[in-house]
Amino acid sequence: LFGELRLIPQHVLDDEGERAALAEALRITFKNSLLYPVTTASAPREDSITAIPDLKFDKLLDSLSRLVPRFQFDLPPYFINNARALSTLEGIAKVLDPSFNVLTIMYPYALNRLLQNPTQSPVVERTLQTLIRSNDGRIDRRKIRRLLRDSALISGVSKRRVVWDVVKTKPGRKLTRSILGEDFRMLLKGNGRRNNALTDGRRQKRKKKWFYLEL
């Protein structure tokens, strides 16, 4: 994705050591910038999975600014000014509302961009498929339920609203038809297997019947 956006020179991305260092640096950055609520040992595992982190935008900006010279980021001149302005606005919002979490504003937009994929990025498409499919490439209903649950939890709306926001977009309708179509084919395939098993069972019974008649 960094290569597609041309944020990092290609020679840096082609270096396996540099890519590994960048991945580790980003992991540490997000670990320090996303603060998850403390859960008790008795808390259900599902709750801990969907806990909403609090994004510390100032820490994120500070960490990213340190990565810019290290990995030769090629950023537009207005990027830092815009980022600082967003950090200031977040600070004002938190003064007015201490429970304000910028993720609740960003997440619906990010989800919409993920579905729309206006640049037809293969990286974005793979990311979307990873969110809804298992390792063998099949539609994973548990992943879809988790995605809906997390989307509703982070954005603060109902699951039905999340579904409606998805299906009212053209890419969302296409994705929904793809999921339903694949589920329908799997259902037909499963029914076909059961019918074949029943047919084979009847054949075996008939063979046994003729066997005893011949005796």
Side-chain angles (χ1 to χ4, degrees):
L1 186 58
F2 286 106
E4 288 186 6
L5 296 176
R6 298 180 181 179
L7 294 177
I8 297 179
Q10 193 60 42
H11 68 85
V12 175
L13 296 174
D14 291 338
D15 189 316
E16 293 185 4
E18 286 295 276
R19 284 206 313 272
L22 175 61
E24 178 62 16
L26 290 174
R27 185 190 67 80
I28 295 174
T29 294
F30 290 121
K31 180 181 179 181
N32 294 334
S33 304
L34 294 172
L35 302 182
Y36 287 85
V38 178
T39 57
T40 60
S42 59
R45 187 177 180 183
E46 291 296 318
D47 290 342
S48 62
I49 292 175
T50 57
I52 304 176
D54 184 17
L55 174 61
K56 298 298 183 181
F57 201 85
D58 55 341
K59 289 187 177 181
L60 176 63
L61 179 60
D62 180 65
S63 298
L64 290 179
S65 64
R66 297 172 188 274
L67 298 183
V68 169
R70 167 64 180 83
F71 296 100
Q72 304 175 40
F73 275 73
D74 186 14
L75 300 175
Y78 54 80
F79 177 84
I80 296 297
N81 289 335
N82 288 352
R84 287 172 177 169
L86 288 174
S87 179
T88 301
L89 291 173
E90 185 203 24
I92 295 174
K94 281 188 172 294
V95 170
L96 298 175
D97 181 6
S99 64
F100 174 79
N101 188 347
V102 70
L103 281 182
T104 61
I105 307 300
M106 295 170 55
Y107 192 84
Y109 174 78
L111 181 61
N112 182 62
R113 297 291 289 183
L114 182 64
L115 291 171
Q116 294 281 356
N117 192 8
T119 61
Q120 299 300 307
S121 166
V123 177
V124 173
E125 179 62 25
R126 286 198 300 271
T127 300
L128 176 60
Q129 296 303 320
T130 300
L131 290 173
I132 63 174
R133 294 183 183 274
S134 57
N135 293 333
D136 60 4
R138 297 181 180 181
I139 293 293
D140 191 327
R141 293 186 178 185
R142 288 180 299 178
K143 280 191 172 184
I144 293 175
R145 285 196 296 266
R146 182 182 303 168
L147 180 61
L148 287 175
R149 180 191 62 201
D150 291 355
S151 299
L153 185 64
I154 293 175
S155 59
V157 299
S158 66
K159 293 180 184 178
R160 290 185 178 182
R161 173 62 185 275
V162 173
V163 173
W164 171 246
D165 287 343
V166 170
V167 300
K168 72 180 182 182
T169 65
K170 186 176 180 180
R173 290 192 295 272
K174 181 180 178 181
L175 176 64
T176 302
R177 286 195 298 268
S178 174
I179 293 173
L180 294 177
E182 190 164 329
D183 271 352
F184 185 66
R185 287 192 295 272
M186 291 298 295
L187 179 63
L188 291 179
K189 190 174 182 180
N191 288 338
R193 288 175 179 173
R194 285 193 291 271
N195 290 336
N196 290 337
L198 290 174
T199 302
D200 291 341
R202 295 191 187 101
R203 287 174 181 172
Q204 291 295 331
K205 288 181 179 179
R206 284 198 294 269
K207 287 182 180 179
K208 289 182 180 179
K209 181 179 179 180
W210 283 108
F211 174 75
Y212 288 119
L213 289 175
E214 290 175 358
L215 290 177

